[in-house]
Amino acid sequence: VSAAINYPNIFPRFAGQGFAERPDKDLAIASLRIYNDWMIDEWCGGAGAGRLVPLTLVPLWDPQLAADEVRRCAAKGSFAIAFSENPSKLGFPSLYSGEWDVLWAACEETETTVSMHIGSSSSMPTTSPDAPLATSMSLYAQNAQGSLADWVFSGTLGRFDSLKISFAESQVGWMPFQLERMDSVWRDGVGGVELPIAPSEQVRGRVFGCIFDDLHGLKCREDVGVDQILFETDYPHSDGTFPHSRKVARDLFAAAGMDAEACYAVLRGNAIAAYGLERFGITE
């Protein structure tokens, strides 16, 4: 592994909800900035520089403060943020509100990628209160599906046409149908929204999905966009493939009939493009 995006866990949680829940917001923003400084300067600095890639947290309770933190951290060398797949479920403005536009403007300005991990809305899809964990685990990609619909139908991707977003641990097999369905709703004019271009056109080359065992997604890679698929090892998560990641990738790619060019793209090239890793010395 040449480079790893460093998601938070435990107290900060995937999108920094741990800071957002503190009632004392002066303490919360001070603590969040300390975390970001530690992540950028210490954990991803020193011997880890260029290999451990920082993921900035933003104050979810204040979009303008979030934009300011993006600019501050970009100046320190961090060009990716963790964001919630659905901030509305956390009690914050939805993408439809337009209140996050100041944040997306800052991300565009600094060429900062927006990363969303499944479950970062502090909820997972299920069917009923008595459904087993297996039901939720088999439906988890629904969070990413809903999030992508929000990004498109809120007009956010249209307003910020160079912004890049990434869904971690989301897989990609769901993308072709979701894009087809969104295009159909848009084309038929039945959804109550007007967009200048088709949803699939907005997504092309800008929305990345991460896989670790999605054979179906790889088989339909041309429909997803082969340049929008990233392979993840998920180390050190229990769902990860380490220390067998190389074998897992080899077996998946062989079963999907991928050539060397496609393998390189999914294993390496797409990640460089998605996160601007050339800024960390990774160019090919």
Side-chain angles (χ1 to χ4, degrees), residues 33 63-73 106:
R33 287 169 179 159
Q64 183 58 61
L65 276 181
D68 295 343
E69 188 64 8
V70 164
R71 294 186 175 95
R72 187 185 79 87
C73 290

Side-chain angles (χ1 to χ4, degrees), residues 124-139:
M124 292 294 286
T126 189
T127 57
S128 62
D130 56 345
L133 178 61
T135 301
S136 180
M137 292 182 68
S138 66
L139 295 173

Side-chain angles (χ1 to χ4, degrees), residues 25-281:
K25 290 301 183 280
D26 289 336
L27 176 60
I29 188 62
S31 300
L32 182 143
R33 287 169 179 159
I34 289 170
Y35 173 89
N36 284 336
D37 287 344
W38 167 80
M39 173 62 68
I40 298 167
D41 300 333
E42 301 294 333
W43 185 256
C44 297
R51 291 181 60 85
L52 300 178
V53 179
L55 193 59
T56 299
L57 297 181
V58 297
L60 295 171
W61 62 92
D62 189 320
Q64 183 58 61
L65 276 181
D68 295 343
E69 188 64 8
V70 164
R71 294 186 175 95
R72 187 185 79 87
C73 290
K76 290 167 62 69
S78 180
F79 305 102
I81 67 166
F83 192 71
S84 172
E85 65 209 351
N86 188 343
S88 178
K89 285 191 174 181
L90 297 174
F92 302 116
S94 73
L95 266 67
Y96 299 95
S97 71
E99 293 189 37
W100 296 105
D101 283 5
V102 290
L103 174 58
W104 312 141
C107 288
E108 267 200 332
E109 174 191 319
T110 56
E111 298 183 18
T112 292
T113 303
V114 180
S115 293
M116 293 161 286
H117 198 288
I118 59 161
S120 55
S121 58
S122 292
S123 64
M124 292 294 286
T126 189
T127 57
S128 62
D130 56 345
L133 178 61
T135 301
S136 180
M137 292 182 68
S138 66
L139 295 173
Y140 70 90
Q142 288 185 354
N143 276 9
Q145 286 180 268
S147 182
L148 181 57
D150 284 346
W151 278 91
V152 169
F153 289 129
S154 68
T156 303
L157 287 182
R159 291 194 299 277
F160 301 93
D161 58 9
S162 65
L163 189 66
K164 294 183 293 187
I165 68 175
S166 174
F167 290 104
E169 209 175 318
S170 66
Q171 314 290 16
V172 298
W174 54 272
M175 282 189 176
F177 170 75
Q178 186 66 35
L179 293 173
E180 180 181 277
R181 180 58 184 161
M182 289 195 296
D183 278 358
S184 177
V185 169
W186 169 77
R187 184 180 58 251
D188 295 343
V190 297
V193 296
E194 294 184 7
L195 301 173
I197 60 174
S200 58
E201 291 295 318
Q202 295 183 40
V203 166
R204 183 170 295 122
R206 301 170 53 206
V207 177
F208 299 86
C210 302
I211 70 163
F212 51 88
D213 62 0
D214 185 359
L215 178 57
H216 173 70
L218 292 175
K219 285 182 175 179
C220 63
R221 58 191 175 276
E222 297 301 331
D223 295 319
V224 175
V226 71
D227 59 343
Q228 293 169 233
I229 305 173
L230 312 181
F231 181 78
E232 62 178 316
T233 64
D234 240 30
Y235 176 83
H237 187 217
S238 60
D239 277 353
T241 56
F242 181 86
H244 308 295
S245 304
R246 188 183 295 267
K247 181 181 185 303
V248 169
R250 184 187 300 114
D251 292 347
L252 277 173
F253 295 172
M258 294 169 59
D259 59 20
E261 183 179 359
C263 290
Y264 169 81
V266 173
L267 284 171
R268 190 175 181 88
N270 296 345
I272 296 173
Y275 287 97
L277 298 183
E278 67 278 355
R279 291 173 290 195
F280 298 96

